[in-house]
Amino acid sequence: MTGYPIKTYRYLRMAMVAMIVLLAVAVVIEWSKTEPHCLQTSISAYYYTPVRAIFVGALITIGVCMVVLKGNTETEDILLNVAGILAPGVALVPTPRQGQCHSVPVVLGDAAANVSNNMLALFVVGVPCLLLAAVFIIRDRISDPAGWTPVYVLGLGVAVLIFGGGLAWFLADRSGFIGHAHYAAAIVMFLCIVVVVVVNAEQLRRKRGVPRALANRYSVIAVAMVAVPLLMVAWWKLFSWAHVVLGIEATLIVLFAAFWITQTTELWNEGLRQQNVVRRAKSR
């Protein structure tokens, strides 16, 4: 990967980090306008503050980038695609709890009507996108049988399952969808992100020729992504911490940004780690 393709790849990766920083700055600015102890109980609850436009826009942008970017392995690619598909749902379906900490009252209008309109638009656009992905898979199977693997079909199947399940839920139980889809999408999205980091850490740990410091960096992030949320849940159980969700979300987002920056630095010139393996294999 050279020239314009690698530059585009870099820009997309950097755009994701920029969106995370943008969301964090917007939250901090909103927080600075309230009492120091006044925080929403989750990042999603900042939808009900002046942060809403950036919250929605940043999540949709991050979701698009995760779908567009190719993962280093088929497993990573599938996980990124699932997380990317779910990110707009997290953005467009607000958490039912508005919270009490906001600098000014935000007029939302009819939240149910907003969800119905925007999610329907997302589903309408998503169907042809999935059909187009199927066409690309069939075309690759015909043009390059040797490089094609059934994992591509698995990835499309997982995407169709997630997307189709969401659409069926939306059509069959609109009120249930509006009340619970945010949590369902957010939990699965974060789980996919954590597994992506764990997969990279394990891949580099087993791979020869990778600097030990780099492999350790991925491993530390992966362990922290699992251990810190568990410790926060334990603290919440013991001391009834009201901001446990906010703490877990903030921790995972910061650690994912650290992972993404680390991976972007590693792959700055190559784009995909898998290509390096192919080059070494061909040179032998």
Side-chain angles (χ1 to χ4, degrees):
M1 189 183 292
T2 57
Y4 290 114
I6 188 63
K7 289 182 179 179
T8 301
Y9 197 79
R10 293 170 183 168
Y11 297 154
L12 283 171
R13 297 185 69 90
M14 290 189 293
M16 288 182 61
V17 177
M19 290 300 102
I20 292 173
V21 174
L22 178 65
L23 178 57
V25 171
V27 170
V28 170
I29 291 174
E30 166 64 12
W31 179 35
S32 70
K33 297 177 181 179
T34 63
E35 295 295 329
H37 64 276
C38 190
L39 283 165
Q40 294 281 54
T41 55
S42 69
I43 292 176
S44 300
Y46 279 95
Y47 178 95
Y48 297 102
T49 72
V51 179
R52 178 175 57 179
I54 286 181
F55 173 79
V56 174
L59 273 179
I60 291 177
T61 302
I62 290 171
V64 170
C65 289
M66 285 195 287
V67 171
V68 170
L69 285 168
K70 172 69 176 174
N72 287 288
T73 63
E74 286 82 0
T75 300
E76 182 180 338
D77 198 42
I78 292 172
L79 291 167
L80 287 175
N81 287 344
V82 171
I85 290 172
L86 292 172
V90 176
L92 297 175
V93 183
T95 173
R97 297 189 179 93
Q98 297 187 18
Q100 301 297 323
C101 293
H102 41 72
S103 57
V104 295
V106 176
V107 179
L108 295 178
D110 190 338
N114 292 343
V115 173
S116 297
N117 181 85
N118 296 332
M119 287 304 300
L120 181 59
L122 182 66
F123 287 128
V124 168
V125 173
V127 170
C129 289
L130 290 174
L131 292 175
L132 188 60
V135 171
F136 288 155
I137 290 174
I138 294 172
R139 187 188 64 179
D140 290 343
R141 176 69 176 86
I142 295 173
S143 62
D144 185 20
W148 185 90
T149 68
V151 179
Y152 296 144
V153 177
L154 174 63
L156 178 62
V158 172
V160 170
L161 181 63
I162 296 290
F163 190 86
L167 177 58
W169 187 10
F170 175 80
L171 295 176
D173 182 14
R174 187 68 53 87
S175 62
F177 182 91
I178 293 172
H180 303 288
H182 175 88
Y183 297 121
I187 291 171
V188 177
M189 182 186 74
F190 276 119
L191 284 176
C192 287
I193 289 172
V194 171
V195 175
V196 164
V197 180
V198 172
V199 166
N200 273 266
E202 183 64 16
Q203 181 185 16
L204 279 183
R205 190 183 69 81
R206 295 185 176 186
K207 183 179 173 182
R208 295 180 180 177
V210 175
R212 183 177 296 276
L214 182 61
N216 289 344
R217 202 173 305 151
Y218 283 115
S219 300
V220 168
I221 295 173
V223 170
M225 276 188 145
V226 176
V228 175
L230 290 177
L231 290 174
M232 288 183 175
V233 170
W235 186 270
W236 167 63
K237 289 288 187 181
L238 291 172
F239 302 103
S240 299
W241 184 25
H243 294 90
V244 61
V245 175
L246 177 65
I248 291 173
E249 288 178 337
T251 298
L252 291 178
I253 290 172
V254 169
L255 289 173
F256 178 68
F259 159 75
W260 201 253
I261 292 171
T262 301
Q263 192 185 59
T264 299
T265 303
E266 177 202 350
L267 304 175
W268 186 258
N269 294 316
E270 290 79 14
L272 290 175
R273 190 182 303 126
Q274 196 174 36
Q275 290 185 348
N276 297 335
V277 177
V278 173
R279 287 197 189 103
R280 285 196 296 270
K282 287 183 178 179
S283 63
R284 290 175 181 173

